[in-house]
Amino acid sequence: MDILQLIQSNLLTPVIMFFLFGIIAARIKSDLKIPEAISEFLPIYLLAAIGLHGGIEMRNTGFENMLVPMFAAIVLSLLFTLNHYQILRRLGKFNIFDSYALASTYGAVGAVTFSVGLSFLKDQGVTSEGYLAAVLAVLEPVAFIMAIFLTNMAVSKQIRTKRQSFAKDDASDIDMGVHDTGTKLSQVLHESLTGKAIVILLGSIVIGYAIGESGFSSIKIVFDEMFTGAIVIFMIEMGIVAGQRLDDIKKVGLFLTAFAVIMPTFNGIIGVLVATAMGLSLGGAVMFGLLLASASFIAAPAVLRHAIPQANPSLYITSALGITFPYNIIVLLPIMFTVSAIVHNAEGSIDLFHFIAKDLI
Amino acid sequence: MDILQLIQSNLLTPVIMFFLFGIIAARIKSDLKIPEAISEFLPIYLLAAIGLHGGIEMRNTGFENMLVPMFAAIVLSLLFTLNHYQILRRLGKFNIFDSYALASTYGAVGAVTFSVGLSFLKDQGVTSEGYLAAVLAVLEPVAFIMAIFLTNMAVSKQIRTKRQSFAKDDASDIDMGVHDTGTKLSQVLHESLTGKAIVILLGSIVIGYAIGESGFSSIKIVFDEMFTGAIVIFMIEMGIVAGQRLDDIKKVGLFLTAFAVIMPTFNGIIGVLVATAMGLSLGGAVMFGLLLASASFIAAPAVLRHAIPQANPSLYITSALGITFPYNIIVLLPIMFTVSAIVHNAEGSIDLFHFIAKDLI
Amino acid sequence: MDILQLIQSNLLTPVIMFFLFGIIAARIKSDLKIPEAISEFLPIYLLAAIGLHGGIEMRNTGFENMLVPMFAAIVLSLLFTLNHYQILRRLGKFNIFDSYALASTYGAVGAVTFSVGLSFLKDQGVTSEGYLAAVLAVLEPVAFIMAIFLTNMAVSKQIRTKRQSFAKDDASDIDMGVHDTGTKLSQVLHESLTGKAIVILLGSIVIGYAIGESGFSSIKIVFDEMFTGAIVIFMIEMGIVAGQRLDDIKKVGLFLTAFAVIMPTFNGIIGVLVATAMGLSLGGAVMFGLLLASASFIAAPAVLRHAIPQANPSLYITSALGITFPYNIIVLLPIMFTVSAIVHNAEGSIDLFHFIAKDLI
Amino acid sequence: MKLYDIKLLTITCEILAQKNIIDLLKKHEITGYTTYEVDGNGARGIRGQGFKNEKNVKVEVIVREEKLHDVVEEISRTLFANFAMVLYVSDVSVVRTEKF
Amino acid sequence: MKLYDIKLLTITCEILAQKNIIDLLKKHEITGYTTYEVDGNGARGIRGQGFKNEKNVKVEVIVREEKLHDVVEEISRTLFANFAMVLYVSDVSVVRTEKF
Amino acid sequence: MKLYDIKLLTITCEILAQKNIIDLLKKHEITGYTTYEVDGNGARGIRGQGFKNEKNVKVEVIVREEKLHDVVEEISRTLFANFAMVLYVSDVSVVRTEKF
Ligand SMILES: Nc1ncnc2c1ncn2[C@@H]1O[C@H](COP(=O)(O)O)[C@@H](O)[C@H]1O
Ligand SMILES: Nc1ncnc2c1ncn2[C@@H]1O[C@H](COP(=O)(O)O)[C@@H](O)[C@H]1O
Ligand SMILES: Nc1ncnc2c1ncn2[C@@H]1O[C@H](COP(=O)(O)O)[C@@H](O)[C@H]1O
Ligand code: NA
Ligand code: NA
Ligand code: NA
């Protein structure tokens, strides 16, 4: 019931309301639209603001404490990606390409979701560890890299198998599906590491760290005070794009719809518990959980279309943007907050840590 | 003389000065231009800000008081549209299509004009009733709907008349001018009701009402404090576009030029008086008058090109944007303000109401 | 050593750090990019802010004092442009077209550089004379006009010489290089005088002067408080564009690379000294020096491609943007600041003036 | 690689006529097309300055010759009179003729 | 629907040459054209990153064969040397030949 | 003004396939091309709403007939299956045939 109240008060924030408004605008086929230049600029702005803030925080608090959570996030992200793959391939009967693409979409992180999380915490009057921005940056490519690597392995194996069973003149046919996968890996790696999200985020963290609170003061109005207003504008567009995708949810199927709700919940709550066990604050644990719960819907297509072109993009975009994103920011954030509040009031988080560790292995 | 002083001090505000600057930039054929994405975004932003502000106000003051002014605005808008049509068709000798298009352009409301009005009142240190944003939203489609309906009726009648007097093989010729007007009405209705201006305005009013003052605080800097600065930027573009149209004023003709000045003055002053009679504040009466005085130059073309494609768009855009808009924001606003100040100091507004009522019937 | 410290602390400001970040993003071939609409809008915004600020200042302080510095700036700019031409043509062995184009690129001013200079002074807690914005506006076309005039003269002379030595049937060949240069001058003049930078700058100065401090208050948040934040965003794009040009520096050659560093240093320091001699403040002398040191990389191509199409644009853009701009904002600003601080503390600036005057003739 | 002959219909018109064109194509069961915003000059004056509503758009349709005639005829009949518009047809060749 | 043969001249050039092209067309009494910004690569390197001044533009002109020759000749003579530019001509057919 | 016949290859595809196309052109030693963003509709649904990643792009390549065949063949073989894409070839004529 506490959770329901929290969901309700979350629903009445401008961020969520403008998102829902965008969905409605799309459903009634309004021509409302945030111009492309603005909606391309806003994520860059949001990431710069997040990075600057994170960097300044890290300068204040040091970054020794960051290493364990960073490592835990990477390990969890890899484990979860593998777990997603198994579920999608075995239970969901998706083909190998869609399975890897979806697995890494949900293993990856969503920068927009992270921004909304920060503004949610602000509304609750709670802070979070600044270094989580760095975790966000590092986590960005992790799931992709693994998925790409595994897909390449799988595809090479396939080719070898096929080569053995078929005559040579069929080779070109196989090529059609899996052409030059070998050489592609390094390219895609480069692409995902130099992707704009990572670059602006890491750059801003470094700059925030370098300039500190005093250097920040002259740009605080733009990169701090305007933050929530900017999210609100971006959420209109997110709502519109999500609303346009709602029709496609039918094509996504029941299994993936369930996956898009259950998986983030599972990943997110594990994240909150692990983070609590590692000593993160109430808000930090929520953000850590959100990192693991979130799915990527802007960076993912850019990387996956090149890395796994055989996968159907409308599956991973629709489920991540049309289902998981709204669920995460409206329902799961309050749930994780409640969980985090409970475990932060409880004692014996070391025991909790043991409990989770057992659970994961 | 008081009016002249007010006009002069209005002229020296950044909003008006940057508008005039834009006109000059266009006249000297400078390549200055606000990029399209920005000038498409600004009206959305302005309407969101207006709507949020209105919604929050309505939450504070309730919206019982809104019903009478809303109803009065609709009735006046319809009466004025009919009046415009008669004047344009009979006195101006415009064809039926241009007459209806112009009538509804001037019967409709201008959101940009409304924004400038709010900033004018701010400069005068006067407030206005928040629910006028809702009146703006409702008034948006009213004049269009009537004009479209009447045009369709007129065209159908025409077709029937022609069908009777001509042979059947000529039907295709008639079609060229008036093809499938019957089925179009509902489409155009949908379009004008889901137009971005109405949608963002209504949405923001609801959101403002839902979140209230406290929910607004985190986005106040973007959606309140930056408001006048944003108008200023938009006014540069408005000035440029108006300036580019100045050459077309010759084509508009003397009659329409006079109409574009006299009609808003008449409508606006009636509006101020009626609003005062209904008990609106000094500033509220000005805004009410401005709603009726303003002509639509962004929404109108989008709706009218589909609804009445036979009408010449350069007539209604040029007169609304090139003549009426500058006149309204530079000259008529101070006039209406003075009128409103006079009638608000005078007593016996009930008598006034009777006087106006007589005048209208 | 003081200079080195100042350079170091300058390096750690968000403005410079985001510029360097942009360069790095471009070098690692990230797809990071500020959308075109934003990066086209920001210079307009920056110039409006500079102009408004300058105009308001001039209203406070009068503009009698402006005439001597204005005149000095024009004279110096012309002398420097001629000086550049001689150096480039004689020592650098550039052809006549490239020499004039480069000479005027470095004789002209850079509005972005000027913005960064203002934010540099703000960081140092130093102010500058408001009328320098007007000097910026007037200086914008000066170097272009002279370069265009001289190029036209030179080309006409060439044509006449060739006409005399060749048969008439060769005339069309000559035309290919130098066609209708005669008639072009007035066109290019109009273009450079109605260029968006000059127009918005002059307009904003006038408006700032007209509205004064009190009229400015409603737009202060947008046009003053957000200024540094906006520069930071623009500097990301400047860094990216400069970074993309770094490869071209090889093509620019050693001579021009040296020119692009030495010339601004020379011009800038002369500027600081002359300004000090004329009685400008510490900060004002730095800005005056910066005007003379800066090279134009946005306005220049727009004017020079029409005025001197035979010149190779990648020479003047690359050297101005890729070399001189970073050098000016990172290294030369601190140098000029130190020089200005020294001469402002020293006495006998009249003697200094005599010394400089000798030097120049 | 065998290439097959087909027609490319290009319509340049004011942006507010785009919906009319797309609807008309749909009526003729054509769902494949490409659109982009352009500026221009013509009988109805310079277009593309000022408001977005005053831009032009190009609509390109790869279409079999059989359908082309009817589409061109209906566009000419219903839209030429009221909208800024230019239309032209060119010969192109494609790989996958079954797509069109 | 009878279609008439006519020429389509397409010029892809750096954006700062657009004015030169339009002026040249006007000189030849051609006032109908369509323009839009594009990116590109060619002999003068990649264009379209960075400043707007470094974009390309396409100018498309439907023009009768009689005028085509002179226009192409003058563009080649006066602009090819100094500007990034590519020009090509194609055959198209139109409904209202009197418009061009 | 003598004009020389050459081919114009136009590829309309989802924007995320642009890199693949450009790389493929480079592989065939073609470095001249023009690109611009467009919207569209086709077998893979409406494109151009929402994120920039979901736009289309047109890639236009003036290319000699000798090279055309191989390029078209490789695009068809490697990209048609996985990307929203349409490709067509037209005849055009140019002044400076040595540029291509
Ligand atoms: N001769 C032409 N060549 C290319 N495009 C044209 C031509 N004439 C008109 N257009 C385009 O078609 C639009 C509408 O033309 P119009 O109906 O003549 O005003 C113009 O704005 C141009 O974009
Ligand atoms: N082979 C080609 N195919 C299509 N467009 C080209 C080609 N070559 C050049 N272009 C376009 O023409 C512009 C100028 O070409 P250039 O003068 O060769 O640099 C380029 O930036 C491209 O947009
Ligand atoms: N018949 C057509 N005419 C013109 N463009 C088309 C056509 N069909 C598809 N396209 C374009 O090619 C893109 C990809 O097509 P598709 O692979 O069929 O989804 C579409 O989004 C359109 O931009
Ligand atoms: Na995740
Ligand atoms: Na009205
Ligand atoms: Na200079």
Side-chain angles (χ1 to χ4, degrees):
Chain A
M1 208 198 79
D2 232 10
I3 292 184
L4 282 184
Q5 268 176 6
L6 201 55
I7 292 176
Q8 199 181 345
S9 90
N10 184 31
L11 265 176
L12 289 181
T13 56
V15 171
I16 302 298
M17 289 212 82
F18 271 106
F19 176 69
L20 296 175
F21 161 72
I23 292 181
I24 293 169
R27 298 315 298 168
I28 62 172
K29 306 221 173 297
S30 167
D31 62 343
L32 181 70
K33 178 166 175 31
I34 304 296
E36 200 179 290
I38 310 285
S39 51
E40 260 180 73
F41 173 66
L42 283 171
I44 297 172
Y45 162 81
L46 295 176
L47 288 166
I50 291 173
L52 285 169
H53 183 258
I56 293 168
E57 285 289 299
M58 282 164 74
R59 183 188 174 112
N60 292 338
T61 61
F63 48 104
E64 317 74 67
N65 316 328
M66 164 177 128
L67 292 177
V68 174
M70 175 80 80
F71 183 72
I74 293 173
V75 170
L76 282 177
S77 167
L78 292 175
L79 289 178
F80 286 172
T81 304
L82 289 175
N83 187 33
H84 302 157
Y85 176 75
Q86 297 300 335
I87 292 173
L88 291 159
R89 188 97 176 93
R90 307 249 159 126
L91 297 182
K93 306 290 177 210
F94 286 96
N95 70 39
I96 189 171
F97 302 115
D98 287 336
S99 299
Y100 274 124
L102 280 163
S104 69
T105 298
Y106 279 87
V109 288
V112 183
T113 317
F114 194 84
S115 312
V116 177
L118 288 179
S119 107
F120 171 83
L121 288 189
K122 226 184 234 176
D123 285 335
Q124 305 302 325
V126 163
T127 60
S128 61
E129 281 77 2
Y131 60 68
L132 288 168
V135 178
L136 170 63
V138 171
L139 231 49
E140 258 264 335
V142 162
F144 289 132
I145 291 172
M146 186 169 65
I148 293 162
F149 183 74
L150 293 175
T151 314
N152 272 282
M153 292 239 303
V155 166
S156 309
K157 216 173 88 188
Q158 263 192 328
I159 297 180
R160 256 177 288 125
T161 323
K162 287 206 182 168
R163 283 252 162 83
Q164 287 163 353
S165 49
F166 288 99
K168 262 175 194 153
D169 53 74
D170 262 13
S172 69
D173 267 30
I174 302 170
D175 276 8
M176 280 186 63
V178 297
H179 74 105
D180 52 345
T181 35
T183 58
K184 232 168 30 185
L185 185 58
S186 71
Q187 267 180 44
V188 172
L189 272 185
H190 180 263
E191 244 168 70
S192 70
L193 288 172
T194 60
K196 51 188 153 198
I198 294 188
V199 166
I200 186 78
L201 190 51
L202 280 181
S204 304
I205 291 173
V206 170
I207 294 174
Y209 193 89
I211 62 175
E213 205 78 66
S214 71
F216 187 62
S217 62
S218 64
I219 57 173
K220 193 175 157 78
I221 188 161
V222 170
F223 287 100
D224 180 21
E225 297 174 27
M226 287 171 59
F227 187 69
T228 312
I231 293 182
V232 158
I233 293 165
F234 194 54
M235 291 305 275
I236 298 176
E237 181 68 13
M238 287 298 96
I240 293 171
V241 182
Q244 288 165 345
R245 296 235 152 230
L246 284 197
D247 287 334
D248 289 356
I249 288 185
K250 293 167 219 147
K251 295 183 209 156
V252 153
L254 204 65
F255 183 86
L256 191 49
T257 306
F259 179 93
V261 167
I262 296 169
M263 216 64 237
T265 314
F266 176 80
N267 295 353
I269 291 178
I270 299 277
V272 171
L273 299 179
V274 171
T276 309
M278 292 184 301
L280 273 77
S281 67
L282 197 168
V286 173
M287 292 310 292
F288 192 90
L290 191 60
L291 279 174
L292 295 167
S294 68
S296 164
F297 48 84
I298 297 186
V303 173
L304 292 175
R305 281 307 274 153
H306 288 134
I308 318 178
Q310 304 90 343
N312 176 0
S314 95
L315 279 186
Y316 51 82
I317 302 177
T318 304
S319 56
L321 174 62
I323 306 171
T324 302
F325 178 63
Y327 172 73
N328 276 355
I329 61 172
I330 299 176
V331 179
L332 188 56
L333 261 177
I335 291 179
M336 292 193 302
F337 188 86
T338 312
V339 171
S340 184
I342 291 169
V343 293
H344 273 81
N345 288 336
E347 286 186 300
S349 38
I350 298 297
D351 293 335
L352 194 70
F353 178 65
H354 285 148
F355 172 75
I356 297 160
K358 259 190 295 167
D359 214 282
L360 274 174
I361 304 160
Chain B
M1 209 198 77
D2 232 10
I3 292 186
L4 283 184
Q5 269 176 5
L6 201 55
I7 291 176
Q8 200 181 346
S9 90
N10 185 31
L11 266 175
L12 289 180
T13 56
V15 171
I16 302 299
M17 288 211 83
F18 271 104
F19 176 70
L20 296 174
F21 161 73
I23 292 182
I24 293 169
R27 298 315 297 167
I28 62 172
K29 304 221 175 296
S30 167
D31 61 344
L32 181 71
K33 175 161 180 34
I34 304 296
E36 201 181 289
I38 309 285
S39 51
E40 261 181 74
F41 173 65
L42 283 171
I44 297 173
Y45 162 81
L46 295 176
L47 288 166
I50 292 173
L52 285 168
H53 183 257
I56 293 169
E57 285 288 299
M58 282 164 73
R59 184 189 172 110
N60 292 338
T61 60
F63 50 104
E64 317 73 68
N65 316 329
M66 165 177 127
L67 292 178
V68 174
M70 175 79 81
F71 183 74
I74 293 173
V75 170
L76 282 177
S77 168
L78 292 175
L79 289 177
F80 286 172
T81 304
L82 288 175
N83 187 32
H84 302 156
Y85 176 77
Q86 297 300 334
I87 292 172
L88 291 159
R89 187 98 177 93
R90 307 250 159 126
L91 298 182
K93 306 290 176 209
F94 286 96
N95 70 40
I96 191 171
F97 302 115
D98 288 336
S99 299
Y100 273 124
L102 280 163
S104 69
T105 297
Y106 280 86
V109 287
V112 182
T113 316
F114 194 84
S115 312
V116 176
L118 288 179
S119 106
F120 171 83
L121 288 189
K122 227 184 232 177
D123 284 335
Q124 305 301 327
V126 164
T127 60
S128 62
E129 281 77 2
Y131 61 70
L132 288 168
V135 177
L136 170 63
V138 171
L139 232 47
E140 258 265 336
V142 161
F144 289 132
I145 291 173
M146 184 167 69
I148 293 162
F149 183 74
L150 291 175
T151 315
N152 272 283
M153 293 238 305
V155 166
S156 311
K157 216 172 88 187
Q158 264 191 329
I159 297 180
R160 253 176 290 127
T161 323
K162 286 205 181 168
R163 283 252 162 85
Q164 285 162 355
S165 49
F166 288 98
K168 262 174 194 155
D169 54 74
D170 262 13
S172 68
D173 267 32
I174 303 170
D175 275 7
M176 282 186 62
V178 298
H179 76 105
D180 53 344
T181 34
T183 59
K184 232 168 30 184
L185 185 57
S186 71
Q187 266 181 44
V188 172
L189 272 185
H190 179 263
E191 243 167 70
S192 70
L193 288 172
T194 60
K196 51 187 154 201
I198 294 187
V199 166
I200 186 76
L201 191 51
L202 280 182
S204 303
I205 291 173
V206 170
I207 294 174
Y209 192 90
I211 62 176
E213 205 80 66
S214 70
F216 187 61
S217 62
S218 63
I219 56 172
K220 192 175 158 78
I221 189 161
V222 170
F223 286 100
D224 181 21
E225 297 174 28
M226 287 171 59
F227 187 70
T228 312
I231 292 182
V232 158
I233 293 165
F234 194 55
M235 291 304 275
I236 298 176
E237 180 69 12
M238 287 298 96
I240 293 171
V241 182
Q244 287 165 346
R245 296 236 152 227
L246 284 197
D247 287 334
D248 289 355
I249 288 185
K250 294 166 216 143
K251 295 183 209 155
V252 153
L254 205 64
F255 182 87
L256 191 48
T257 305
F259 179 93
V261 167
I262 297 169
M263 216 64 237
T265 314
F266 176 81
N267 295 353
I269 292 179
I270 299 276
V272 171
L273 298 179
V274 172
T276 308
M278 292 183 302
L280 273 77
S281 68
L282 196 169
V286 173
M287 292 309 293
F288 192 90
L290 191 60
L291 279 174
L292 294 167
S294 68
S296 164
F297 48 83
I298 297 185
V303 173
L304 292 175
R305 280 307 274 154
H306 287 135
I308 317 179
Q310 305 89 342
N312 176 0
S314 96
L315 279 186
Y316 49 85
I317 302 177
T318 303
S319 55
L321 175 62
I323 306 170
T324 302
F325 178 64
Y327 172 73
N328 277 354
I329 62 172
I330 299 176
V331 180
L332 187 56
L333 261 177
I335 292 180
M336 291 194 301
F337 188 85
T338 311
V339 172
S340 184
I342 292 169
V343 292
H344 273 82
N345 288 336
E347 286 187 300
S349 39
I350 298 297
D351 293 334
L352 194 69
F353 179 66
H354 284 150
F355 172 75
I356 297 159
K358 259 190 296 168
D359 214 283
L360 275 174
I361 303 159
Chain C
M1 208 198 78
D2 232 11
I3 292 185
L4 282 185
Q5 269 177 5
L6 201 56
I7 291 176
Q8 201 181 344
S9 90
N10 184 32
L11 266 176
L12 290 180
T13 56
V15 171
I16 302 298
M17 289 212 82
F18 271 105
F19 177 68
L20 296 174
F21 162 73
I23 292 181
I24 293 169
R27 299 314 297 166
I28 62 172
K29 305 222 175 294
S30 167
D31 62 343
L32 181 71
K33 177 164 177 31
I34 304 296
E36 201 180 289
I38 310 284
S39 51
E40 259 180 73
F41 173 66
L42 283 172
I44 297 172
Y45 161 81
L46 295 176
L47 287 166
I50 291 173
L52 285 169
H53 183 258
I56 293 169
E57 284 290 299
M58 282 163 73
R59 183 189 173 113
N60 292 338
T61 62
F63 49 104
E64 317 74 67
N65 316 328
M66 164 176 128
L67 293 177
V68 174
M70 175 79 82
F71 183 73
I74 293 174
V75 170
L76 282 177
S77 168
L78 292 175
L79 288 177
F80 286 172
T81 303
L82 288 174
N83 187 33
H84 302 157
Y85 175 75
Q86 296 300 334
I87 292 172
L88 290 159
R89 188 97 177 92
R90 307 249 159 127
L91 297 181
K93 307 290 178 207
F94 287 96
N95 69 40
I96 189 170
F97 302 115
D98 287 336
S99 299
Y100 273 124
L102 279 163
S104 70
T105 298
Y106 279 86
V109 288
V112 183
T113 316
F114 193 84
S115 313
V116 176
L118 288 179
S119 106
F120 171 84
L121 288 188
K122 226 186 233 176
D123 285 335
Q124 305 301 326
V126 163
T127 60
S128 61
E129 281 77 2
Y131 60 69
L132 289 168
V135 177
L136 170 64
V138 171
L139 232 47
E140 257 266 334
V142 162
F144 290 132
I145 290 173
M146 184 168 67
I148 293 162
F149 183 73
L150 292 175
T151 315
N152 272 281
M153 292 238 305
V155 166
S156 310
K157 215 173 88 187
Q158 263 193 328
I159 298 181
R160 254 176 290 127
T161 322
K162 288 205 181 168
R163 283 252 163 85
Q164 285 162 356
S165 49
F166 288 98
K168 263 175 194 154
D169 53 73
D170 263 13
S172 69
D173 267 31
I174 304 170
D175 276 7
M176 281 186 61
V178 297
H179 76 105
D180 54 342
T181 35
T183 58
K184 232 169 28 185
L185 185 57
S186 71
Q187 264 180 44
V188 173
L189 272 185
H190 179 263
E191 243 168 71
S192 70
L193 287 172
T194 60
K196 50 186 153 200
I198 293 188
V199 166
I200 185 77
L201 190 52
L202 280 182
S204 303
I205 292 173
V206 171
I207 294 175
Y209 193 90
I211 62 175
E213 206 80 67
S214 71
F216 187 61
S217 62
S218 64
I219 57 173
K220 192 175 157 80
I221 188 161
V222 169
F223 286 100
D224 180 22
E225 297 174 27
M226 288 172 59
F227 187 69
T228 312
I231 293 183
V232 158
I233 293 164
F234 194 54
M235 291 304 275
I236 298 176
E237 181 68 13
M238 287 298 95
I240 293 172
V241 182
Q244 287 165 346
R245 296 236 152 228
L246 284 197
D247 288 333
D248 289 356
I249 288 185
K250 294 167 219 146
K251 296 183 208 155
V252 153
L254 204 66
F255 183 86
L256 191 48
T257 305
F259 179 93
V261 167
I262 296 170
M263 216 62 237
T265 314
F266 176 80
N267 296 353
I269 291 179
I270 300 277
V272 171
L273 298 178
V274 171
T276 309
M278 292 184 302
L280 272 78
S281 67
L282 195 169
V286 173
M287 291 310 293
F288 192 89
L290 191 61
L291 279 174
L292 295 167
S294 67
S296 164
F297 49 83
I298 297 185
V303 173
L304 292 175
R305 280 308 274 154
H306 288 135
I308 317 179
Q310 305 90 344
N312 176 0
S314 97
L315 279 186
Y316 51 82
I317 302 177
T318 303
S319 55
L321 174 63
I323 305 172
T324 301
F325 178 64
Y327 172 73
N328 277 354
I329 61 172
I330 299 176
V331 180
L332 188 55
L333 261 177
I335 292 179
M336 292 193 301
F337 188 86
T338 311
V339 171
S340 184
I342 292 169
V343 292
H344 273 82
N345 288 336
E347 285 186 301
S349 41
I350 296 300
D351 293 334
L352 193 73
F353 179 65
H354 284 149
F355 172 75
I356 297 160
K358 259 189 296 167
D359 215 284
L360 274 173
I361 301 159
Chain D
M1 196 94 264
K2 177 97 183 70
L3 291 170
Y4 302 88
D5 286 350
I6 200 161
K7 295 290 180 179
L8 172 66
L9 168 63
T10 304
I11 302 130
T12 309
C13 62
E14 54 176 298
I15 204 166
L16 289 174
Q18 176 173 344
K19 208 180 159 308
N20 305 50
I21 301 277
I22 303 295
D23 288 350
L24 193 152
L25 292 176
K26 203 178 289 169
K27 213 177 103 185
H28 289 264
E29 288 169 353
I30 298 171
T31 52
Y33 53 82
T34 297
T35 61
Y36 47 103
E37 289 176 18
V38 299
D39 297 336
N41 199 359
R44 300 207 184 207
I46 290 187
R47 299 191 52 85
Q49 323 176 311
F51 299 121
K52 171 143 181 176
N53 278 340
E54 288 166 38
K55 288 206 75 149
N56 284 344
V57 75
K58 271 178 82 176
V59 183
E60 295 175 346
V61 195
I62 303 170
V63 63
R64 287 158 187 271
E65 186 144 23
E66 300 93 81
K67 281 194 180 170
L68 179 72
H69 175 85
D70 289 354
V71 172
V72 169
E73 188 277 328
E74 186 164 343
I75 292 177
S76 312
R77 184 167 46 81
T78 61
L79 300 174
F80 273 7
N82 292 326
F83 293 98
M85 189 171 299
V86 153
L87 165 165
Y88 58 87
V89 175
S90 22
D91 294 314
V92 299
S93 43
V94 296
V95 177
R96 297 175 292 179
T97 177
E98 69 281 2
K99 262 187 89 79
F100 306 99
Chain E
M1 195 96 263
K2 178 100 184 66
L3 291 171
Y4 302 88
D5 286 351
I6 200 162
K7 295 289 180 180
L8 172 65
L9 168 64
T10 304
I11 303 130
T12 310
C13 62
E14 54 176 297
I15 204 167
L16 289 174
Q18 176 172 345
K19 208 181 160 308
N20 305 50
I21 300 278
I22 303 295
D23 287 351
L24 193 152
L25 291 176
K26 204 178 287 168
K27 213 178 104 186
H28 289 263
E29 288 170 351
I30 297 170
T31 53
Y33 54 81
T34 297
T35 62
Y36 47 104
E37 290 176 17
V38 299
D39 296 337
N41 199 0
R44 301 207 183 209
I46 290 186
R47 299 190 54 82
Q49 322 176 311
F51 299 121
K52 169 142 183 176
N53 278 341
E54 289 165 35
K55 290 207 73 149
N56 284 343
V57 76
K58 272 177 82 176
V59 183
E60 295 175 346
V61 196
I62 303 170
V63 62
R64 287 157 188 271
E65 187 143 22
E66 299 95 82
K67 280 192 181 173
L68 179 72
H69 175 85
D70 289 353
V71 173
V72 169
E73 188 277 328
E74 186 165 342
I75 292 177
S76 311
R77 184 165 47 79
T78 61
L79 299 173
F80 272 8
N82 292 324
F83 293 98
M85 190 172 297
V86 153
L87 165 164
Y88 58 87
V89 175
S90 24
D91 295 314
V92 300
S93 45
V94 296
V95 176
R96 297 175 293 179
T97 177
E98 69 282 2
K99 263 186 88 79
F100 307 98
Chain F
M1 194 94 264
K2 178 96 186 68
L3 292 171
Y4 302 88
D5 286 350
I6 200 161
K7 295 288 180 179
L8 172 65
L9 167 64
T10 304
I11 303 131
T12 311
C13 62
E14 55 177 296
I15 204 166
L16 289 175
Q18 176 172 346
K19 210 182 158 305
N20 306 51
I21 300 278
I22 303 295
D23 287 350
L24 194 152
L25 291 176
K26 204 179 286 167
K27 213 177 105 185
H28 289 263
E29 289 170 350
I30 298 171
T31 53
Y33 53 82
T34 297
T35 61
Y36 46 104
E37 290 176 18
V38 299
D39 297 337
N41 198 359
R44 302 208 182 206
I46 290 186
R47 299 190 52 83
Q49 321 176 314
F51 300 120
K52 171 144 181 175
N53 279 341
E54 288 167 36
K55 288 208 74 147
N56 284 342
V57 75
K58 272 177 82 174
V59 182
E60 295 176 345
V61 195
I62 303 170
V63 62
R64 287 158 187 272
E65 187 144 22
E66 300 94 82
K67 280 193 180 173
L68 179 71
H69 175 85
D70 289 353
V71 173
V72 169
E73 188 276 329
E74 187 165 341
I75 293 177
S76 311
R77 183 165 46 80
T78 62
L79 300 174
F80 272 8
N82 292 325
F83 292 98
M85 190 171 298
V86 153
L87 166 165
Y88 58 87
V89 175
S90 24
D91 295 314
V92 299
S93 43
V94 296
V95 177
R96 296 175 293 179
T97 177
E98 69 282 2
K99 262 187 88 79
F100 306 99

